[in-house]
Amino acid sequence: MPIDLNADVGESYGAYAYGDDPGVLPAVSSANIACGFHAGDPGVMRATVQLAHRHGVAIGAHPGFQDLSGFGRREMYLSPAEVENLVAYQVGALAGIAATEGARLRHVKPHGALYNMAARDAALAGAIARAVRSVDPALVLFGLSGSELIAAGERAGLRVASEAFPDRGYRADASLTPRSAVDAVITSPERVAARAVTMAAGTVTTADGQVVAVKADTLCIHGDTPGAAALARAVREALTAAGIEVRPPDGR
Amino acid sequence: MPIDLNADVGESYGAYAYGDDPGVLPAVSSANIACGFHAGDPGVMRATVQLAHRHGVAIGAHPGFQDLSGFGRREMYLSPAEVENLVAYQVGALAGIAATEGARLRHVKPHGALYNMAARDAALAGAIARAVRSVDPALVLFGLSGSELIAAGERAGLRVASEAFPDRGYRADASLTPRSAVDAVITSPERVAARAVTMAAGTVTTADGQVVAVKADTLCIHGDTPGAAALARAVREALTAAGIEVRPPDGR
Amino acid sequence: MPIDLNADVGESYGAYAYGDDPGVLPAVSSANIACGFHAGDPGVMRATVQLAHRHGVAIGAHPGFQDLSGFGRREMYLSPAEVENLVAYQVGALAGIAATEGARLRHVKPHGALYNMAARDAALAGAIARAVRSVDPALVLFGLSGSELIAAGERAGLRVASEAFPDRGYRADASLTPRSAVDAVITSPERVAARAVTMAAGTVTTADGQVVAVKADTLCIHGDTPGAAALARAVREALTAAGIEVRPPDGR
Amino acid sequence: MPIDLNADVGESYGAYAYGDDPGVLPAVSSANIACGFHAGDPGVMRATVQLAHRHGVAIGAHPGFQDLSGFGRREMYLSPAEVENLVAYQVGALAGIAATEGARLRHVKPHGALYNMAARDAALAGAIARAVRSVDPALVLFGLSGSELIAAGERAGLRVASEAFPDRGYRADASLTPRSAVDAVITSPERVAARAVTMAAGTVTTADGQVVAVKADTLCIHGDTPGAAALARAVREALTAAGIEVRPPDGR
């Protein structure tokens, strides 16, 4: 079974540089590109599409709340209709930019607070799924493994990709360890790479040593941490060494 | 020969209402919908697409500078590359919103300061034409009759629509009378309607009574002036009475 | 005992007009002026300061979340430190604008979702009180009667003004009837005016006829509803007729 | 004669880091803090005020155009009235933030395109001077040496500080060498430091070796270039070694 590696990229803005896109992109198979609301601007989006395209990385939209000063990480309470329009707008905007490079979108992954809220709120999740299907029913919807967003995508008839996080701790119910806990974030490239390999096989080891099932079609590589590029390469090499092909999820 | 009537619509924003879209839309054949930079937001864009669609009015993008507080009317000096990306972003965003209503874009008309600057600056005009062609080569590019934007659209192989303004005064060289001059703006519905009919036939009468040629594929109806809806209806009725069909420009 | 009448004003933005400030301002004693985050821009703020100043109305800041497209009515989750800085920024900004007209601020009233969240969240309320005290300890802090914001203002040593809403229904515990309920909003000018008079005396009648105590130093007049100016005048006249002086709360 | 060293700081925004404020601030005597329009946000502004305050550096406002995506470097055409309000708003906002740290503003220096346009446009320059005087007549106005902004500040009765750039080439008329020319920017810390010393004495050497007079009350240190902190220290040490005191301009 192949697996996808994805990274959030294109999060610079104007004069502001963010992350290490040139370092991370060559190691992943899917690029989630910010769409100008929580990060990114039309020029950054275009340069990121170019870079991803050049490396043969699948291009996806990474829509977020309209909260540049909070980087889309702060919860905002919008109606499902507002979220649906917000997502359709941003996915369309990136599609417009991608067209200037002769590229097409392959997937959509919501960002930050929108991702987290849609993981647990079926109405928001449904709004996102509707927006994605309207803009292009061939797009793959990425969401937290086991979340409402994955369920909403399936109900909407979309191809979905369940996402897991090799650098995050997991609990016995396959949920993420809260960031406030010890071992919430794993920084050793070797450990992260080893976890990626087991996740590709469908399991994860919890902090207290249990092995639990986790569905992982795509693994997230964080691109805004020190050493992100090295981590991404370590994960990719470990997967390849284990005979696991790294490639984007099948679309339609 | 048929002619198009267009109006700028969808310029409300959040809690702010602007213009009289329900009054103006039924009378025109093309709707230029603001794309969230100088006016409009995803919810307003969607409601406007719905309304235009219901009236059988062709839907187009109305991209502008990112200057909500100035309504896109203040000159900003961006590079051609910045303008190209700005336009591709906004046209794509509206296409995404239109998709949620099963609608497709037919044309693009730049807004305000961007429209005026592109009328006289070949580099900006070329950037806009490239963006439009990239996003969808079937889109019709609207520009001031005789302007650099029309020339750039033709060079890019786009279908273009030369725009004239029946409520504006013209000079002997077929340019618009500056707004500071007497008779720069004509408010009488009867006079505007009569001018629309002669424009459809390819001429306009200047302030000092000369009849000069003006190419007019589409006539602009201003939707944000008092009595805009009545004016729009008067123009449409006069054209119909003169046996001139009102319909969107042919696309590809 | 005198009472204050306040209204939210200066909520226009650029080309967008909102509310009826010229109609409402002459009837009130305190103007809460939007500060550019949820509404208002530097030009609107200045024109509003001028207008309030001319009518002898006390000028106050009306800071809100940075959410122009949601008019500051959508909940956003910021840290108390973020809220403190947000408020200090906006109050300072209006003070800067007021200085161009030789005017000074007298009070601060948070807007929309920020007002509501600060009414029930002691940490947010404390952050707002700290910001106000830092910028100018003579400023009066307006908050919902009985709320955490009033308590925080008092703890911070600020002069506070407890606010009541003559056009809103109240429950037996002196809280507002939720907007979803019948009689949540009272539209009859006569009823609103009569309620204002009893509120000035310290009581309000609930939907089921009980008379309960409510502390009211200032009464809110909504300026963005049809007939707002007439309502404001009706309230003021009823108070005056009842021998109640309408004037801003005492500052320091 | 003492001289001032100033640097543009506080230009980070939300998750975006910019410049090397901790490296540069200890070497300068005046900090120009971005006010949230071209860069900076309330939290960044506060942290920057803290840092400057701790180093005993004078705090000033650095207002710019509302163009975050262009970092305030793109020309925008606003009316003088719009510019006046824009500046009053931003100076007031920073004063509000400074108050939370018990600090007061000492000066104002416009940013980027606004600085450049005000150097040559007397109407804009007058608008800025009026705004500064309204908010606080004791503020020192910084402007390009010999510019319209300095003239406007003097006409308005403000204390002004003429600014020179030790890392920029000068022409025989004491204007800056255009950035497109050879030797427009000087990167050697030794040369920049030596030029700072001669500028403090009132002269600058042009590219072709002429010594011309330049009035310099304050010298700008660019904080967003590689090696900015080392350059700032080199300049300060050279001035000190030459017996020139580095301190903020006298206010009122």
Side-chain angles (χ1 to χ4, degrees):
Chain A
M1 282 288 289
I3 198 159
D4 179 49
L5 285 184
N6 78 77
D8 300 348
V9 294
E11 300 191 316
S12 297
Y13 185 84
Y16 298 113
Y18 191 88
D20 178 15
D21 294 358
V24 170
L25 270 172
V28 300
S29 40
S30 289
N32 321 311
I33 302 179
C35 301
F37 274 45
H38 78 278
D41 65 40
V44 167
M45 289 159 72
R46 179 145 183 193
T48 310
V49 165
Q50 276 179 343
L51 192 64
H53 207 41
R54 192 183 314 148
H55 286 289
V57 175
I59 291 164
H62 195 44
F65 285 127
Q66 186 163 22
D67 178 25
L68 188 66
S69 70
F71 206 68
R73 289 174 177 155
R74 305 190 293 206
E75 293 199 347
M76 292 181 68
Y77 283 80
L78 277 66
S79 69
E82 287 174 318
V83 166
E84 181 177 341
N85 295 331
L86 189 93
V87 170
Y89 182 100
Q90 292 183 62
V91 176
L94 182 63
I97 292 291
T100 64
E101 295 292 326
R104 287 180 62 87
L105 307 192
R106 297 284 300 273
H107 68 279
V108 175
K109 173 183 165 182
H111 168 81
L114 182 60
Y115 179 94
N116 294 330
M117 293 170 80
R120 56 181 197 258
D121 181 326
L124 285 192
I128 294 171
R130 274 195 305 280
V132 171
R133 187 181 53 191
S134 294
V135 177
D136 182 354
L139 290 166
V140 180
L141 178 60
F142 285 30
L144 180 67
S145 186
S147 70
E148 290 290 346
L149 186 55
I150 291 296
E154 288 176 337
R155 274 196 304 273
L158 290 170
R159 176 93 166 73
V160 296
S162 293
E163 185 175 35
F165 296 83
D167 66 351
R168 291 295 305 279
Y170 275 74
R171 297 187 290 193
D173 63 353
S175 69
L176 296 177
T177 305
R179 285 188 177 272
S180 51
V182 175
D183 215 34
V185 178
I186 300 157
T187 53
S188 147
E190 293 74 25
R191 278 190 67 203
V192 174
R195 288 169 74 82
V197 172
T198 61
M199 281 175 162
T203 63
V204 67
T205 303
T206 65
D208 57 357
Q210 298 181 59
V211 174
V212 299
V214 64
K215 178 161 177 47
D217 302 314
T218 185
L219 300 176
C220 181
I221 300 295
H222 289 104
D224 57 355
T225 46
L231 190 88
R233 282 192 299 270
V235 170
R236 180 153 197 151
E237 285 162 12
L239 290 166
T240 304
I244 300 162
E245 185 189 3
V246 175
R247 64 172 169 82
D250 291 324
R252 290 228 158 68
Chain B
M1 282 287 290
I3 199 159
D4 180 48
L5 286 184
N6 78 76
D8 300 349
V9 293
E11 299 190 316
S12 296
Y13 185 84
Y16 296 114
Y18 191 87
D20 177 15
D21 295 357
V24 170
L25 271 171
V28 300
S29 40
S30 289
N32 320 311
I33 301 179
C35 300
F37 274 45
H38 77 278
D41 65 39
V44 166
M45 289 160 72
R46 179 146 184 193
T48 311
V49 165
Q50 276 179 343
L51 192 64
H53 207 42
R54 192 183 313 148
H55 288 288
V57 175
I59 290 165
H62 195 44
F65 285 127
Q66 186 162 23
D67 179 24
L68 188 65
S69 70
F71 206 68
R73 289 175 177 154
R74 304 189 293 206
E75 293 199 348
M76 293 182 68
Y77 283 80
L78 278 64
S79 69
E82 287 175 317
V83 166
E84 182 178 341
N85 295 331
L86 189 92
V87 170
Y89 182 100
Q90 292 182 63
V91 176
L94 182 64
I97 292 291
T100 64
E101 296 292 325
R104 287 179 62 86
L105 308 192
R106 297 283 300 272
H107 68 279
V108 176
K109 173 182 164 181
H111 168 81
L114 181 59
Y115 179 94
N116 294 329
M117 294 171 79
R120 56 181 197 257
D121 181 326
L124 284 192
I128 293 171
R130 275 196 304 281
V132 171
R133 187 182 54 192
S134 295
V135 177
D136 182 354
L139 290 165
V140 181
L141 179 59
F142 285 28
L144 181 66
S145 186
S147 70
E148 290 289 347
L149 186 55
I150 291 295
E154 287 175 338
R155 275 196 304 273
L158 291 170
R159 177 90 167 74
V160 297
S162 293
E163 185 175 35
F165 296 82
D167 65 350
R168 292 293 305 279
Y170 275 74
R171 297 187 291 194
D173 63 354
S175 69
L176 297 177
T177 304
R179 284 188 177 272
S180 51
V182 174
D183 215 35
V185 178
I186 299 158
T187 53
S188 147
E190 293 73 27
R191 278 190 66 203
V192 175
R195 288 168 75 82
V197 172
T198 61
M199 282 175 161
T203 63
V204 66
T205 304
T206 66
D208 57 357
Q210 299 181 58
V211 175
V212 299
V214 63
K215 178 162 175 45
D217 301 316
T218 184
L219 301 176
C220 182
I221 300 294
H222 289 103
D224 57 354
T225 44
L231 191 87
R233 281 192 299 270
V235 170
R236 180 152 197 153
E237 285 162 12
L239 290 166
T240 304
I244 300 162
E245 185 190 2
V246 175
R247 63 172 169 82
D250 291 324
R252 290 226 158 70
Chain C
M1 283 285 289
I3 198 158
D4 179 49
L5 285 184
N6 78 76
D8 301 348
V9 294
E11 299 190 316
S12 296
Y13 185 84
Y16 297 113
Y18 190 87
D20 178 16
D21 294 359
V24 169
L25 271 171
V28 300
S29 41
S30 290
N32 321 311
I33 301 180
C35 300
F37 273 46
H38 78 277
D41 64 41
V44 166
M45 290 160 71
R46 179 144 185 195
T48 310
V49 166
Q50 277 180 342
L51 192 64
H53 208 40
R54 190 184 315 149
H55 287 289
V57 175
I59 290 165
H62 194 44
F65 285 126
Q66 187 162 23
D67 178 24
L68 187 66
S69 71
F71 206 68
R73 289 174 177 155
R74 303 190 293 206
E75 293 200 345
M76 292 181 68
Y77 283 81
L78 278 65
S79 70
E82 288 175 315
V83 166
E84 182 178 341
N85 296 331
L86 188 93
V87 169
Y89 181 100
Q90 292 182 63
V91 176
L94 182 64
I97 292 290
T100 64
E101 295 291 324
R104 286 180 62 86
L105 307 193
R106 297 283 300 274
H107 69 279
V108 175
K109 173 182 164 181
H111 168 81
L114 182 60
Y115 180 94
N116 293 329
M117 293 170 81
R120 57 181 197 256
D121 181 326
L124 285 192
I128 293 170
R130 276 195 305 280
V132 171
R133 187 181 56 192
S134 295
V135 177
D136 182 355
L139 289 166
V140 181
L141 179 60
F142 285 28
L144 181 66
S145 185
S147 70
E148 290 290 346
L149 186 56
I150 291 297
E154 288 176 337
R155 274 194 306 272
L158 291 170
R159 175 90 167 75
V160 297
S162 293
E163 184 175 35
F165 296 82
D167 66 350
R168 292 292 306 277
Y170 275 74
R171 297 187 290 193
D173 63 354
S175 68
L176 297 177
T177 305
R179 284 188 178 270
S180 51
V182 175
D183 215 34
V185 178
I186 299 158
T187 52
S188 147
E190 294 74 26
R191 280 190 66 201
V192 174
R195 288 168 75 83
V197 172
T198 62
M199 281 175 162
T203 62
V204 65
T205 304
T206 64
D208 57 356
Q210 299 182 57
V211 174
V212 299
V214 64
K215 179 163 175 44
D217 300 315
T218 185
L219 301 175
C220 181
I221 300 295
H222 288 103
D224 57 355
T225 45
L231 190 88
R233 281 193 300 269
V235 169
R236 181 154 197 152
E237 286 162 12
L239 291 166
T240 304
I244 301 162
E245 185 189 3
V246 175
R247 62 174 170 82
D250 291 324
R252 291 225 157 69
Chain D
M1 282 285 291
I3 198 160
D4 179 48
L5 286 183
N6 78 75
D8 300 347
V9 294
E11 299 190 316
S12 297
Y13 185 85
Y16 297 114
Y18 190 88
D20 177 16
D21 295 357
V24 170
L25 271 171
V28 299
S29 40
S30 289
N32 321 312
I33 301 180
C35 300
F37 273 45
H38 77 277
D41 65 40
V44 167
M45 290 160 72
R46 179 146 184 192
T48 310
V49 166
Q50 277 180 343
L51 192 65
H53 207 41
R54 191 184 313 149
H55 288 288
V57 175
I59 290 165
H62 195 44
F65 285 127
Q66 186 162 22
D67 179 25
L68 187 65
S69 69
F71 206 68
R73 289 173 176 156
R74 305 190 292 206
E75 293 200 347
M76 292 180 68
Y77 282 80
L78 278 63
S79 69
E82 288 174 316
V83 166
E84 181 178 342
N85 295 332
L86 189 92
V87 170
Y89 182 101
Q90 292 182 62
V91 176
L94 183 64
I97 292 291
T100 64
E101 296 292 324
R104 286 180 62 87
L105 307 192
R106 298 282 301 272
H107 68 278
V108 176
K109 173 182 165 182
H111 167 80
L114 182 60
Y115 180 94
N116 294 329
M117 293 170 79
R120 56 180 198 259
D121 181 326
L124 285 191
I128 293 171
R130 274 196 305 280
V132 171
R133 187 182 56 191
S134 294
V135 177
D136 182 354
L139 291 166
V140 181
L141 179 60
F142 286 29
L144 181 66
S145 186
S147 69
E148 290 289 345
L149 186 56
I150 291 296
E154 288 175 338
R155 274 196 305 272
L158 292 169
R159 178 93 165 73
V160 297
S162 292
E163 185 174 34
F165 296 83
D167 66 351
R168 291 295 305 278
Y170 275 74
R171 296 187 291 192
D173 62 354
S175 69
L176 298 177
T177 304
R179 285 188 177 271
S180 52
V182 174
D183 215 34
V185 178
I186 299 157
T187 54
S188 147
E190 293 73 25
R191 280 190 65 203
V192 174
R195 289 168 74 81
V197 172
T198 62
M199 281 175 163
T203 62
V204 67
T205 304
T206 65
D208 57 357
Q210 299 181 57
V211 174
V212 299
V214 64
K215 177 162 177 44
D217 302 314
T218 186
L219 301 175
C220 182
I221 302 293
H222 288 104
D224 57 353
T225 45
L231 190 88
R233 281 192 300 270
V235 170
R236 181 156 196 147
E237 285 161 13
L239 290 166
T240 304
I244 300 163
E245 184 188 6
V246 175
R247 64 172 168 82
D250 291 324
R252 291 229 157 69

